[in-house]
Amino acid sequence: MARIITVAAAQMGPIQRSDSKASVVARMLALMEKAHGMGANLIIYPELALTTFFPRWYFADRAEADLWFERSMPNSDVQPLFDRARALQMGMSFGYGEITPEGRHFNTSILVDDLGRTVGIYRKIHLPGHVEHDPQRTHQHLEKRYFEPGDLGFPVWRTMGGLFGMCICNDRRWPETYREMGLQGVEMVMLGFNTPSVNSQRASEAIEERMFHHRLSLQAGAYQNATWVVAVAKAGMEDGHHLMGGTLIVDPDGHIVAELPGEDDGVLVHACDLDATRFGKQTIFDFKRHRRIEHYGRITSQVGTIEPA
Ligand code: CDT
């Protein structure tokens, strides 16, 4: 029997720096209602879904950026989302800036099940960009300034009838991300992203090329680990900077089965059969039979490239 989860990838248009959190939550609630009307039982929102992509702003005093972070989750600002998702019996995932009671900062996503229980959080591991203001770039990308690398690894949770994992934006470009989850049998990888449509260090790398790398990474990760991948954009012109769209769903054979056009708030719904992961996991990517870990030592013992003499 098929194990169907009907997933809604809830793309968000731009969030300006001046937008209130209440207005953002109202937009997320509208997307949730739409997703419910389309039969979804799991809704996935983007990375840093509650705010503008604030790592593009340089604050000499890092503490000034703390206003973009959440000190607890849920909290009164987002409680309406949790309440409505639970009433609709819809699972939910979204990204936010997390500040812990000890004052640590992470780029985080939460997963809540269809009964309103927090299943777990994931903290972004691959942080792109730089620490200090860089005048050579056309725009700043200061994730390394405002966040610590995640400290929770890549967990996979058994919930809502399947095996679910999360990653965030730049993580999707790294094969290790998917393989860590693949080795735990993941059946659906959920991720949100904020991707500038131009490379800040190479103007010739524009949206077509960026979209190509986006799809390439997601499709390879899905195929090589026989898993569904759901990728959700925050898109459009945000505070004068353009973020690309590209919200899409990839099946466990690596095919894009649904893709949302445009850069506005919108919902992409697809019925995903988690049993469609079985064939790949039992044949060409049956890790137990085929992996040769005696030859993979560099992957965990070495960070950068070391060329032969
Ligand atoms: N949010 C995020 O991780 N964005 C990056 C931009 C890379 S350019 C510094 C991405 O990989 O899409």
Side-chain angles (χ1 to χ4, degrees), residues 179-248:
R179 185 50 51 89
E180 274 291 316
M181 289 189 263
L183 285 166
Q184 300 168 75
V186 74
E187 296 171 327
M188 181 174 285
V189 174
M190 302 167 282
L191 67 103
F193 61 96
N194 288 255
T195 298
S197 55
V198 180
N199 188 323
S200 65
Q201 296 170 294
R202 186 166 69 163
S204 62
E205 187 185 317
I207 194 160
E208 297 76 19
E209 182 75 350
R210 298 216 123 189
M211 204 61 93
F212 168 71
H213 291 145
H214 167 68
R215 293 193 185 105
L216 181 70
S217 303
L218 299 171
Q219 291 182 257
Y223 167 65
Q224 292 169 349
N225 295 279
T227 179
W228 291 91
V229 174
V230 182
V232 187
K234 175 138 67 59
M237 195 59 87
E238 202 176 75
D239 289 326
H241 296 274
H242 190 248
L243 298 171
M244 68 181 210
T247 294
L248 57 83

Side-chain angles (χ1 to χ4, degrees), residues 113-134:
D113 74 9
D114 51 353
L115 298 175
R117 301 174 297 205
T118 295
V119 176
I121 60 169
Y122 166 74
R123 292 173 172 158
K124 186 175 184 177
I125 286 175
H126 299 100
L127 297 174
H130 46 114
V131 177
E132 297 301 335
H133 186 268
D134 180 356

